[in-house]
Amino acid sequence: MNIKRVTMTDVAKACGLSRNTVSKIFNNRGTVPDSTTQMVLQKARELGYHVVVEQHTPLSAPNLNIALLTRHMPTDYHFGTLFIPALADQLSRVGYTLSMCEITPEELAAQKLPSHIALKQLSGILAIELFDKAYYEMLCGLGIPVLFVDAFYGANTTSLHCDMVSMENLSSTYEITAQTIAAGARQLGFVGDATHCNSFQERWLGFCSALTDNNLPVNKAFCILEPDSSAYSDDQWLISKIRKMPILPDAFICANDYLALQMMTALKRHGIAIPQDVMIAGFDGTPQSAIVEPPLTTAQIPNADIAKLAAETLLNRIENPDRPFQRIYVHTTPQYRASTLRTASEQ
């Protein structure tokens, strides 16, 4: 009778931890909280994984605190709404505490941490929705591990001493735009501040590339590219922008679901039918995108997977501070719904 040998990977999976964390415990190296160590060793015994537990000496963990810095606490329409709880869960599994801190405009301008943060008590910093180059550079100079989720406009051409994890933006926006063109759109506009952040820039580039590859012009007269601080939540403001366009475009590709949903509200209030008069697409895959009428075409971001990868990347940086910095992109998936017309092949 063949009995499957229990592996370290099996133990890690049963505990909901990475194999790297379990390896640290079994090899008595690195910083792992004692509670996590005891949980792993108990699970190993239950599964029949043989490891010498009596001689294991718990390792001290003086700094098990990670600060999450942001300019804006996430709302219901925000990527961070699902990302942050998943991140906190991943970190807590190995004994770390995540503390959220909202950076004030004064702190941002002065390039200072919040006064209540004690740098010596931190193992690392994670930043989300903090799209300021000077502040990023300040964080990178603090001498502790730093990880950014997304980054400021122009980050791809800037050398930063930190790790970055982001959703993949360009290919999904390219595909959604190309599919909209295949469904008959010839005049297309982009909605959102392309210079707001790295992700918005990449989505703009995906939009432009799809137009160019289909021999269509990038016509900014059909776009709403005002700064992110503009009145995108005001349907009268949005309609005033649309009325200044030469004609109503065939489609609007929006930088995220929030903007797409605002556009849908404004258009419907003024008697413009979606998708018959104009097609709409967003990005993020928020729960609201599936229940709006008509349901919104979008790109689904795997929030929990990005959170897990962000936690693993930051913890690996804490353990191995001299390894090369990484920029990691996680695949996103277009979700085609009724806010855009189907092509003949899809019908």
Side-chain angles (χ1 to χ4, degrees):
M1 181 176 180
N2 293 325
I3 300 177
K4 181 180 181 296
R5 185 173 69 88
V6 178
T7 67
M8 192 181 300
T9 300
D10 295 327
V11 177
K13 184 176 181 179
C15 295
L17 300 170
S18 69
R19 188 182 185 282
N20 183 52
T21 298
V22 174
S23 176
K24 292 177 187 177
I25 294 171
F26 289 167
N27 293 294
N28 201 19
R29 62 177 179 82
T31 301
V32 180
D34 187 51
S35 59
T36 302
T37 298
Q38 296 307 318
M39 182 267 287
V40 169
L41 295 177
Q42 177 61 33
K43 183 59 69 174
R45 293 189 190 96
E46 294 173 1
L47 294 175
Y49 184 90
H50 299 291
V51 59
V52 179
V53 297
E54 292 76 16
Q55 297 179 2
H56 185 92
T57 302
L59 297 171
S60 61
N63 294 322
L64 293 175
N65 304 306
I66 291 174
L68 188 150
L69 306 182
T70 184
R71 277 286 288 116
H72 306 286
M73 292 299 181
T75 65
D76 289 342
Y77 295 92
H78 191 274
F79 157 75
T81 305
L82 300 175
F83 168 83
I84 292 174
L87 174 71
D89 177 68
Q90 288 295 319
L91 293 174
S92 68
R93 288 172 181 266
V94 290
Y96 281 84
T97 299
L98 183 69
S99 301
M100 286 189 62
C101 304
E102 190 168 8
I103 306 300
T104 66
E106 294 75 21
E107 290 163 345
L108 193 72
Q111 298 176 36
K112 292 183 178 180
L113 292 173
S115 58
H116 65 276
I117 290 182
L119 195 59
K120 292 183 178 180
Q121 296 178 7
L122 290 182
S123 294
I125 291 174
L126 189 148
I128 183 172
E129 281 289 302
L130 188 56
F131 305 135
D132 184 278
K133 181 179 180 181
Y135 203 87
Y136 272 46
E137 291 173 339
M138 180 276 289
L139 292 177
C140 291
L142 293 176
I144 67 171
V146 175
L147 182 138
F148 299 132
V149 178
D150 200 358
F152 56 88
Y153 169 75
N156 278 336
T157 56
T158 303
S159 177
L160 292 171
H161 296 286
C162 65
D163 298 304
M164 185 179 85
V165 175
S166 179
M167 68 293 298
E168 203 290 316
N169 301 287
L170 197 150
S171 65
S172 283
T173 308
Y174 181 102
E175 181 180 324
I176 289 171
T177 305
Q179 283 290 103
T180 306
I181 294 169
R186 292 297 176 266
Q187 306 288 351
L188 292 87
F190 186 88
V191 179
D193 179 3
T195 66
H196 172 56
C197 61
N198 192 63
S199 284
F200 277 26
Q201 179 188 17
E202 291 176 342
R203 293 168 197 176
W204 164 253
L205 293 175
F207 167 78
C208 294
S209 295
L211 289 175
T212 300
D213 289 351
N214 284 276
N215 299 312
L216 293 174
V218 177
N219 190 341
K220 291 187 177 181
F222 295 125
C223 299
I224 304 176
L225 302 171
E226 270 70 17
D228 191 68
S229 58
S230 300
Y232 283 97
S233 61
D234 184 343
D235 64 294
Q236 293 296 333
W237 182 84
L238 288 172
I239 286 296
S240 71
K241 294 296 179 183
I242 294 171
R243 285 175 175 166
K244 292 178 182 178
M245 297 176 182
I247 59 171
L248 180 68
D250 301 314
F252 287 112
I253 307 299
C254 302
N256 63 14
D257 285 353
Y258 173 78
L259 295 170
L261 293 170
Q262 296 302 316
M263 286 290 290
M264 291 179 73
T265 298
L267 291 165
K268 288 190 289 185
R269 284 179 179 174
H270 288 78
I272 300 172
I274 305 166
Q276 294 85 353
D277 295 332
V278 59
M279 292 182 271
I280 301 285
F283 201 109
D284 279 351
T286 59
Q288 293 83 356
S289 68
I291 61 175
V292 69
E293 180 57 41
L296 176 67
T297 290
T298 184
Q300 184 67 51
I301 298 175
N303 300 279
D305 292 331
I306 294 179
K308 182 177 181 180
L309 186 57
E312 291 175 351
T313 302
L314 184 56
L315 294 176
N316 281 337
R317 171 64 57 196
I318 293 169
E319 181 68 23
N320 305 289
D322 296 326
R323 66 180 175 83
F325 293 112
Q326 300 181 83
R327 297 192 180 189
I328 303 170
Y329 282 86
V330 181
H331 181 68
T332 56
T333 307
Q335 302 285 329
Y336 296 103
R337 299 182 179 135
S339 68
T340 55
L341 296 172
R342 292 185 176 186
T343 63
S345 61
E346 294 177 303
Q347 294 176 346

